[in-house]
Structure formats: C-alpha cells, structure tokens
Amino acid sequence: MADRICKLIEGGTSEVVVKKSRFLGITFPVETAEEAAERIAGIRKKYYDARHNCYAYRIPGAEKFSDDGEPSQTAGKPMLDVLTGANLTGVLVVVTRYFGGTLLGTGGLVRAYTEAAQEAVKNSKVMEICPRRMVTVTVNYSDLGKVQYIFREAGLEPETDFQAEIILSSDVPEEQVGSLTGAITEATAGRAVIQVGELHLS
C-alpha cells in the first residue's frame, strides 16, 4: 500500500514570536516551480522590509528550499522537513522573519522556523489524494480479451478506441501501475505496446 499523500487545498498562516523576532508563516497550493516562484516573489514584495523570506516547496517530481541569508540548514531545510513529515505535496510554505535585535543561534532558528511552518500547515486545508499515472495499452484484436480481463481484475474500466489495433487508456493508481503493466506484458508475450504517463495527483 502506498503511503498516504496529502495535497494542500487552501493555504493557512501563522505567527511565532521569539525574543522579539517575528516569524510570519504562510502556505500556498502550487503545482509548478514557476507558480511557486511567483508566490515567493509576491511575498518578498509584500514584506520588502523583512530581514528574511525563507521558503520550501514540494511539487510532483521536485522539491526545493532556501534559507534566504539565514545560516545554512536553519530555515528552509527544517521547513521542508515539516512538509515531508506531513506527506504534503503541491505546497509552498514561506516564513518571513522580522529581526528582533537578538541572535537566536542555530538551534533557536531551527525551532522557530519549524514551528512557524508547522502552524501554517496546521491552519491550512488539506485533502488526502491518490497519485496516478495514465496507462495506454495498444494491442491486436487477438489479445484484447486478455487485456480487458486484466484491467477488470484491477478494478479499472479503460477507455477503448478501436482502430487497426485497439488502444485502451486508463488513469491508474501509482501503486497498481507495476503489477498491471507486468501482467499485460506477460499475458500478451510482450506484444502489447504500453505507455505510462507522468505522475499526477487526483
């Protein structure tokens, strides 16, 4: 069984104050690195007078973080760890720091950024999702019955396009892709042409 994965549906905010330093957390649902970059730019513009705007994001196939001038590994990485620990994807978290005049040390920074990220995530709306891939199988007419049977046994109802050969397409849960394609390859002695699409979230 695949691990539970959650997707951010609606962002949340947080505020943590440590020794007069203010840490303002906010989460956004994002699908691409470009979308994340736009959100980060927007926060930097809004909080132009802040000392740091640190971030972390996770999207299908990629993750990234930035300490934005804080000591290495004290901000972005702890925030990314919060997202990873919650099995969240499609999410950006930004924590803006207004310096309060007192140095917090590396341990204090890690705790503050972690707490701000955790609270922002806690105040967000998330939904459990199932990662899927589009599987397209092209077979000849003599193998059609076997392949249809394998799809049915997997609880799937593929769209079927009858041409010179038959093209069957189905959105398949990630955890089933390997067993499904293996069974089809074996049943057709490798005659079926199988294409597996990019991972996406539903």
Side-chain angles (χ1 to χ4, degrees), residues 161-175:
D161 184 11
F162 292 91
Q163 299 183 20
E165 293 184 297
I166 305 97
I167 302 171
L168 301 96
S169 302
S170 183
D171 213 15
V172 180
E174 167 73 354
E175 62 190 36

Side-chain angles (χ1 to χ4, degrees), residues 135-148:
V135 175
T136 303
V137 182
T138 303
V139 296
N140 58 41
Y141 279 80
S142 63
D143 289 324
L144 176 60
K146 302 171 192 174
V147 174
Q148 287 177 320

Side-chain angles (χ1 to χ4, degrees), residues 56-198:
Y57 66 76
R58 296 184 79 212
I59 56 177
E63 58 186 29
K64 187 177 180 181
F65 65 86
S66 170
D67 296 310
D68 193 35
E70 292 282 31
S72 179
Q73 306 287 306
T74 62
K77 182 60 165 62
M79 291 158 58
L80 181 63
D81 289 343
V82 170
L83 304 182
T84 303
N87 276 336
L88 265 173
T89 191
V91 57
L92 162 71
V93 59
V94 184
V95 176
T96 299
R97 181 189 183 190
Y98 282 92
F99 185 55
T102 302
L103 296 175
L104 304 183
T106 55
L109 288 172
V110 169
R111 285 191 293 274
Y113 279 102
T114 297
E115 183 180 350
Q118 286 175 333
E119 286 298 309
V121 168
K122 181 180 176 182
N123 294 328
S124 305
K125 289 185 180 179
V126 300
M127 179 178 71
E128 192 168 334
I129 57 169
C130 175
R132 306 175 80 89
R133 294 181 189 270
M134 180 61 70
V135 175
T136 303
V137 182
T138 303
V139 296
N140 58 41
Y141 279 80
S142 63
D143 289 324
L144 176 60
K146 302 171 192 174
V147 174
Q148 287 177 320
Y149 176 79
I150 291 168
F151 271 107
R152 283 197 301 271
E153 285 293 290
L156 301 166
E157 291 292 336
E159 291 185 9
T160 306
D161 184 11
F162 292 91
Q163 299 183 20
E165 293 184 297
I166 305 97
I167 302 171
L168 301 96
S169 302
S170 183
D171 213 15
V172 180
E174 167 73 354
E175 62 190 36
Q176 289 183 259
V177 170
S179 58
L180 179 78
T181 57
I184 292 171
T185 298
E186 183 178 348
T188 63
R191 289 184 295 274
V193 177
I194 303 172
Q195 293 177 299
V196 179
E198 293 292 322

